[in-house]
Amino acid sequence: MILRSIELENFGLYAGRQRLDLMPTRDRPVVLFGGRNGAGKTTLLEAVRLALYGRRALGARVGQSEYDEHLRNRVHVDANGRASAVASVGLEFDYAEAGIVQHYRVSRRWIVRGAKVVETLTLEKDGAPVDAVPREEWHGFLQELIPPGVSQLFFFDGEKIAEIARDDPDEGLAEAVRGLLGIELVGRLRTDIGLFLARRNRKDDGGSAERLQAVVRDRVALQKRIGDLAEHVAELKTRHTSLERAANNVRLRFTAEGGDAADRRAATEAERNEVRNQIAQREAELRDLANGLLPFAAAPRLLRRFATALSQTGETGRREEAEALRMRLLGWRMAGEPAREASWKDAHWQDLDAFLAAEAAAVTGTAGHLAGLDAAERRRLAAKVADARDAVPARVSVLVRDLDALQRRIRPLEAELVRAAGKGATVVLDELLLSEKDVGAAEAELKARSEELKQLEYQKLTLEREEKRLVNAQNEVDAGEQRAAIATRVGRVLQQYEERLLHHKLAQLRTEFVERFNHLARKGGFVADVRIDPTTFDATLIDRSGTEIRKSSLSAGEKQIYAIAMLWALARTSGRALPMIIDTPLARLDSEHRATIVERYFAEASHQVIVLSTDTEVDDELLERLSPNVSHSYRLDYDPETRSTTATPGYFGQEDQRALQQA
Amino acid sequence: MRYNRLRISEDANSRLRSIRQRTGVTPNLLIRVAIMMSLEEGPIRVPAPDEKGPEFNAYTLTGDHTALIGAMLRHVEETEGESQPLGDDEMVARLRAHIHRGVGTLSVRAKSIVDLGRLAVCA
């Protein structure tokens, strides 16, 4: 990884927008920043960390409100005490992934609105927003690129060094080493496996095993019973089939022997049906007649009387005519006009008068209610009556005679049919009945046994299901045990791996450290070995004679050398090619050590070394020693009037140098 | 005689049902036969016991023959009986009585459709 540039906007002491080039030129890895105390050197280091880690830059457990507060405080405040509304830090860097160098640009910009701070993260890869990773994951993505724990070893300030050099076991270092060496991950894995093992339920399953045994025993017994029964059922089936076949034969014989009667029967049936048809026809006619005048025919005497009455009533005119005739006769007798030809005696007159009077009177008696009918109605009724008396009985009598004859014909036919039906029901019938009875019995038996078989099979199915369930449960237990065994083995392996990894890394670290320390220390070969406690990571120096060098016996400068060597060794052991940012590392060193650090550490620590220094640390003399490795430099100048820092290319005293060169 | 509807007796109804089964002739036609048979016996003095049977309307019951039946009823009841004019209500009551009596007779004599024919021939 290589840092290309850093961009600051209203961040801390930096007013406005400033972009600083960090890209070293070829073979000159050092980028030098010069600045007096309070000029903003540490702010630069902070900006790098902030751009990469955001909230995480402040520590592992920092709340959002705390972070917001921090951001608000890091906004530049101008000479008039006004805070800017917008601030940002940005970083451009190249990062190699799978052998391909990618150009990244990360920028954090935050807007302060009263108590609220709104932060926007921009992450670009080769000029386009990163889209392979969702926006919410960008923080994580950046932390994957350069883990914060690792960055502590590369981006550090003098304070850090002082801490490492302390005599007592160092918590922070231990953590850094663990994280750095990848041991932490293995440890977490081991814990997870332990949890898995602890969580595993170790229930005693003796009961279920017993139950399984019983189920299997029952099932086997049932299986045997089912086999026997199935055989029995099969036998019954065969018997049933043969009985049925026999019964069928008997039935066929029965039909064959009754065949003659059957033939005759058909003819008889046909004849009977014909007669029945004729009967039906005549009966239908009778019914028709019943709808007509037949009912009246059922009262023949009344019809006769009624007809008489009707006919008498029909002569109503006669009575009037007779009376009128009598009146005219009487009138003629009185008047004698027209003249009488014969001589009429009183007796003649009286006879004639009596006849006419009787004639008129005779009709009066029978007139009754029928007199109310008009002549047409009377004629209609009379016609009906006549029909009812003559035509209807005539037709009915024909029908009745026919029907009687037909009934006489049909009776023997039906008798014959009954006889035909009875024929053949002789010995064969008995046989048929017997065989059918056998078939029925066999069928009943078969049905009962089949039912029993079905029940047994159902029982078996139930048992099988339970067996399966129990076996599954047991398998589950087995599988669980297997998994537990594997987990235990994995745990053991992981433990071994962790130990060996630690051992390996520590050995590497030891070698690196001794080499680095002796490389830097004025007393060459002062330290022969270092012992690092694998649990506390407490380092103990050992001299040539094999005696322990107590850290407290080291001078302050030696301690610093020790710390730098340790950091350097750790960085190298981590195997990551990251830039170094070193903030004020030379404070406590004597001139000789400073020269070594400048020449051997700054120049070799990494492919990119950003050194933040005061003018007293890297002074003119050291600058001269360092300059072959310096790519370019900046000077940070704080202007008390504007209360802001500006970075300008160059270093302390370079004007002089330039002047010197010019001269 | 004028009437629209007429209820026959319960007894007549049950007898009619059985005759109908034996002869296949509908009750209204059977009733006509029954009326004639009763009229043949002469005037009636005993009214029908009840009117709990089904109701027939005039057309179904006597149809085209209403006038003839009415005339014959009047003839039997007035001319051959009391010889005094009867009101419509009384006429209908008498008719109901005749139906009741006639159905009784019919149920004894008509075992089949042929018997119905015989009634018309041999009487």
Side-chain angles (χ1 to χ4, degrees):
Chain A
M1 178 186 176
I2 197 157
L3 298 173
R4 285 177 161 272
S5 67
I6 184 165
E7 194 172 270
L8 305 164
E9 183 189 3
N10 298 326
F11 182 65
L13 296 170
Y14 298 86
R17 187 189 290 256
Q18 298 188 52
R19 187 176 174 283
L20 304 177
D21 183 18
L22 301 180
M23 195 71 176
T25 49
R26 218 174 126 74
D27 296 333
R28 289 174 171 236
V30 179
V31 178
L32 184 63
F33 282 84
R36 293 194 174 84
N37 290 338
K41 295 191 300 298
T42 309
T43 304
L44 274 181
L45 179 63
E46 192 193 329
V48 171
R49 294 178 61 89
L50 186 64
L52 285 175
Y53 305 125
R55 193 165 81 191
R56 190 70 209 276
L58 301 187
R61 284 172 203 84
V62 173
Q64 184 65 43
S65 58
E66 207 179 320
Y67 178 57
D68 285 351
E69 179 67 25
H70 178 77
L71 288 182
R72 194 163 40 237
N73 287 336
R74 297 309 285 151
V75 166
H76 177 70
V77 180
D78 67 14
N80 303 321
R82 274 205 312 267
S84 309
V86 180
S88 73
V89 290
L91 204 60
E92 273 183 72
F93 58 92
D94 286 347
Y95 195 93
E97 278 170 305
I100 299 163
V101 177
Q102 311 278 8
H103 182 74
Y104 282 96
R105 189 175 165 276
V106 61
S107 158
R108 267 173 222 275
R109 187 181 176 83
W110 60 97
I111 299 167
V112 181
R113 282 202 198 97
K116 269 180 76 180
V117 176
V118 183
E119 185 195 17
T120 324
L121 172 66
T122 317
L123 182 60
E124 284 172 9
K125 179 175 169 182
D126 294 330
V130 169
D131 49 6
V133 179
R135 185 170 285 267
E136 311 81 64
E137 305 282 324
W138 281 355
H139 288 277
F141 176 72
L142 283 167
Q143 287 182 24
E144 289 282 312
L145 284 182
I146 313 127
V150 174
S151 79
Q152 279 188 355
L153 303 172
F154 290 92
F155 311 154
F156 61 86
D157 60 15
E159 303 301 315
K160 200 88 201 165
I161 293 170
E163 266 176 39
I164 287 171
R166 283 238 294 278
D167 212 4
D168 43 337
D170 180 23
E171 284 288 317
L173 180 68
E175 203 180 309
V177 171
R178 280 192 158 275
L180 179 69
L181 303 183
I183 287 163
E184 201 183 38
L185 200 68
V186 180
R188 212 158 56 213
L189 206 52
R190 268 182 59 208
T191 313
D192 288 352
I193 285 171
L195 276 177
F196 167 75
L197 284 172
R199 237 184 267 126
R200 211 181 70 82
N201 203 349
R202 285 173 174 279
K203 261 190 219 155
D204 188 17
D205 44 282
S208 79
E210 233 166 69
R211 174 80 193 121
L212 179 60
Q213 255 175 3
V215 166
V216 170
R217 204 170 47 233
D218 285 359
R219 201 213 353 113
V220 170
L222 202 56
Q223 183 80 53
K224 189 170 163 2
R225 266 182 72 199
I226 285 172
D228 292 350
L229 193 57
E231 220 163 279
H232 187 45
V233 166
E235 248 166 57
L236 281 174
K237 254 184 201 159
T238 322
R239 224 185 100 210
H240 177 249
T241 314
S242 69
L243 279 174
E244 228 175 20
R245 202 179 300 127
N248 236 353
N249 284 340
V250 173
R251 202 174 290 124
L252 281 175
R253 226 164 70 225
F254 176 73
T255 317
E257 287 180 17
D260 185 33
D263 276 357
R264 251 183 300 127
R265 185 190 172 131
T268 314
E269 259 176 357
E271 199 181 345
R272 183 198 59 182
N273 289 346
E274 169 59 25
V275 174
R276 270 186 182 169
N277 262 344
Q278 291 191 17
I279 289 173
Q281 270 179 26
R282 281 165 180 77
E283 283 183 352
E285 203 177 331
L286 267 182
R287 272 182 210 109
D288 264 7
L289 285 170
N291 195 21
L293 290 169
L294 186 141
F296 299 95
R301 288 195 307 278
L302 174 60
L303 275 184
R304 201 162 53 237
R305 291 201 303 277
F306 186 68
T308 310
L310 259 185
S311 66
Q312 282 172 355
T313 319
E315 289 158 8
T316 13
R318 234 171 47 188
R319 182 176 62 92
E320 280 93 37
E321 276 167 29
E323 186 64 22
L325 196 60
R326 188 176 150 237
M327 286 303 152
R328 275 170 55 205
L329 179 71
L330 290 176
W332 183 43
R333 185 187 173 185
M334 297 291 282
E337 188 68 29
R340 283 173 286 266
E341 301 284 326
S343 64
W344 287 57
K345 292 197 176 132
D346 275 350
H348 289 110
W349 286 111
Q350 276 158 14
D351 272 2
L352 208 55
D353 183 32
F355 172 76
L356 286 173
E359 191 72 2
V363 184
T364 320
T366 58
H369 66 278
L370 292 173
L373 299 173
D374 65 25
E377 182 70 22
R378 265 206 305 276
R379 268 197 297 282
R380 233 184 348 261
L381 290 185
K384 276 191 177 183
V385 169
D387 258 6
R389 283 183 68 191
D390 306 324
V392 172
R395 181 68 199 142
V396 169
S397 75
V398 170
L399 289 172
V400 167
R401 208 172 49 239
D402 280 3
L403 277 169
D404 283 345
L406 288 166
Q407 286 296 347
R408 276 195 298 276
R409 262 184 73 195
I410 206 169
R411 232 167 270 134
L413 289 174
E414 280 182 338
E416 199 184 328
L417 282 173
V418 170
R419 267 199 309 282
K423 255 183 196 159
T426 52
V427 192
V428 191
L429 181 61
D430 290 347
E431 211 180 320
L432 178 62
L433 289 176
L434 207 67
S435 67
E436 274 178 350
K437 206 176 121 199
D438 284 353
V439 170
E443 204 168 273
E445 169 96 11
L446 179 61
K447 210 168 164 188
R449 294 291 152 259
S450 297
E451 197 60 34
E452 206 177 312
L453 182 62
K454 216 188 275 175
Q455 234 156 26
L456 286 182
E457 263 166 356
Y458 178 73
Q459 275 177 33
K460 191 184 117 191
L461 207 69
T462 316
L463 282 177
E464 275 175 349
R465 212 171 290 150
E466 192 175 355
E467 187 182 339
K468 202 168 169 187
R469 190 175 59 74
L470 288 169
V471 166
N472 275 346
Q474 203 146 57
N475 282 347
E476 198 102 322
V477 169
D478 284 352
E481 262 163 17
Q482 222 167 344
R483 280 201 290 276
I486 289 170
T488 315
R489 280 216 305 278
V490 167
R492 261 203 307 278
V493 168
L494 275 179
Q495 194 176 3
Q496 279 175 22
Y497 175 71
E498 188 182 340
E499 277 164 17
R500 284 193 199 172
L501 181 67
L502 192 59
H503 186 258
H504 174 72
K505 287 284 182 183
L506 285 181
Q508 211 177 327
L509 185 61
R510 220 166 77 189
T511 322
E512 288 284 352
F513 173 77
V514 171
E515 195 183 320
R516 291 306 123 193
F517 187 87
N518 289 329
H519 191 55
L520 295 177
R522 180 163 40 92
K523 305 167 184 169
F526 168 60
V527 167
D529 200 359
V530 64
R531 199 168 57 232
I532 301 169
D533 190 306
T535 45
T536 61
F537 298 98
D538 196 15
T540 314
L541 305 177
I542 295 165
D543 67 11
R544 249 172 232 287
S545 57
T547 33
E548 225 173 79
I549 306 169
R550 291 186 55 80
K551 249 188 270 171
S552 56
S553 72
L554 294 175
S555 70
E558 279 168 342
K559 273 182 191 165
Q560 193 137 11
I561 294 294
Y562 157 78
I564 288 169
M566 183 56 86
L567 280 172
W568 197 1
L570 279 170
R572 285 177 68 94
T573 311
S574 81
R576 285 175 190 264
L578 292 178
M580 277 280 184
I581 301 174
I582 307 161
D583 189 15
T584 56
L586 308 172
R588 299 184 176 185
L589 299 177
D590 56 31
S591 58
E592 197 173 335
H593 272 134
R594 286 187 184 196
T596 330
I597 293 285
V598 161
E599 281 181 343
R600 297 190 176 168
Y601 179 50
F602 288 176
E604 297 168 21
S606 174
H607 56 278
Q608 182 180 29
V609 182
I610 294 160
V611 180
L612 306 167
S613 168
T614 58
D615 55 351
T616 56
E617 285 176 303
V618 177
D619 51 20
D620 291 343
E621 190 200 330
L622 285 178
L623 182 64
E624 203 156 323
R625 286 172 180 273
L626 188 61
S627 57
N629 293 310
V630 174
S631 162
H632 58 281
S633 58
Y634 282 103
R635 203 177 71 199
L636 306 175
D637 290 310
Y638 177 72
D639 183 354
E641 297 239 329
T642 59
R643 295 192 190 173
S644 67
T645 294
T646 42
T648 45
Y651 195 69
F652 299 111
Q654 279 203 341
E655 300 89 345
D656 304 339
Q657 220 170 27
R658 211 174 293 128
L660 209 73
Q661 278 169 355
Q662 279 170 353
Chain B
M1 178 188 64
R2 285 200 182 79
Y3 73 99
N4 286 325
R5 290 160 196 285
L6 183 145
R7 274 187 184 279
I8 64 169
S9 66
E10 196 179 15
D11 177 55
N13 181 44
S14 67
R15 282 167 193 269
L16 277 171
R17 254 184 300 175
S18 76
I19 306 167
R20 181 201 181 155
Q21 287 197 340
R22 299 197 298 254
T23 62
V25 177
T26 52
N28 54 329
L29 301 186
L30 291 174
I31 285 173
R32 291 179 197 176
V33 177
I35 291 170
M36 296 320 292
M37 287 176 75
S38 182
L39 285 176
E40 178 83 346
E41 285 178 40
I44 195 159
R45 293 291 169 268
V46 185
D50 57 65
E51 297 182 35
K52 289 177 184 166
E55 191 180 55
F56 290 84
N57 71 43
Y59 189 81
T60 313
L61 198 61
T62 46
D64 293 338
H65 312 302
T66 309
L68 183 53
I69 287 173
M72 290 178 88
L73 177 64
R74 208 169 268 280
H75 179 77
V76 169
E77 290 296 332
E78 287 180 3
T79 313
E80 300 184 341
E82 295 165 357
S83 296
Q84 75 186 30
L86 299 170
D88 257 358
D89 288 351
E90 184 55 28
M91 282 287 283
V92 173
R94 296 277 166 100
L95 182 61
R96 199 178 290 125
H98 277 293
I99 291 171
H100 181 71
R101 185 168 76 177
V103 169
T105 314
L106 189 62
S107 74
V108 176
R109 297 182 55 184
K111 298 299 178 198
S112 71
I113 179 99
V114 193
D115 289 345
L116 270 187
R118 265 189 207 105
L119 285 176
V121 178
C122 311

